[in-house]
Amino acid sequence: MSAKLVVGISGNLTRPSKTRAFVEHIAGHVAKGISGSSATYDIEDLGPSFASARRLGDLDPSTRNIVEQLSDAAVLVVGSPTFKGSYTGLFKHFFDLLDPSSLKGKPVILAATGGGERHSLIVEHQLRPLFGFFEALTMPTAIYASDRDFANGVLVSEAIRARSQQAVAEACRVVGVPSKVSLAA
Ligand SMILES: Cc1cc2nc3c(=O)[nH]c(=O)nc-3n(C[C@H](O)[C@H](O)[C@H](O)COP(=O)(O)O)c2cc1C
């Protein structure tokens, strides 16, 4: 396992994306907290082979490389826009391709965005069980942000930033680095 890499996976289908920005924001702060680096990928980054892939071997080498980064990461940050009350279908498709044991014990921060507050429990009722299947170590604090928490695609809500900070601190503690990271910037 790379001690320093934080990988973000965002299930957005279009750009610009609030979800991608949100995942990048969290992953960047975890990386800062553990003196590491971060890389965030979305569905577009998975390339043309991804949607039709039925197994890992069907993926382009560059997409296989993303899967390898995921397996090697010290911390994962996963996020999806809410589509019809759940994560996007292609977000699930990505995780369907992974070996069931590939995320065992992996520290994972769960995040989602949505148009409003109605589906905010997507993080607990959809994302957490998926990563429970993988026996990943999901952080207790999961974060949901709605459209009104962003301005021009940037996260502006102080409450959501504070909740993100809580999740970042949890992840830093799990990898053995007490977090003093401030998300004010
Ligand atoms: C097909 C579709 C279905 C959606 N379904 C929901 C939904 O069930 N609940 C919700 O709160 N927002 C829903 N939304 C709104 C998006 O989740 C929201 O705008 C999200 O933040 C967009 O993220 P993005 O900027 O990363 O694409 C839906 C949007 C689309 C396009």
Side-chain angles (χ1 to χ4, degrees), residues 10-17 19-20 41-44 79-81 88:
S10 175
N12 58 285
L13 307 189
T14 55
R15 293 178 182 170
S17 161
T19 315
R20 185 186 169 107
Y41 303 100
D42 64 13
I43 300 302
E44 189 77 29
S80 178
T88 62

Side-chain angles (χ1 to χ4, degrees), residues 91-166:
F91 176 89
K92 176 66 159 52
H93 180 58
F94 179 70
F95 289 98
D96 285 348
L97 294 173
L98 302 188
D99 186 280
S101 65
S102 60
L103 301 180
K104 195 168 184 169
K106 181 81 68 192
V108 178
I109 295 179
L110 307 173
T113 69
E117 308 296 332
R118 182 172 302 188
H119 296 124
S120 57
L121 283 174
I122 174 181
V123 289
E124 299 298 340
H125 295 172
Q126 310 288 336
L127 283 170
R128 200 178 293 282
L130 175 59
F131 291 90
F133 165 82
F134 282 105
E135 300 176 48
L137 189 59
T138 55
M139 296 304 106
T141 302
I143 322 114
Y144 177 91
S146 68
D147 281 353
R148 69 176 181 186
D149 296 316
F150 295 86
N152 300 318
V154 176
L155 182 66
V156 292
S157 161
E158 280 310 315
I160 302 299
R161 281 173 169 266
R163 195 164 166 81
S164 302
Q165 185 175 17
Q166 201 171 301

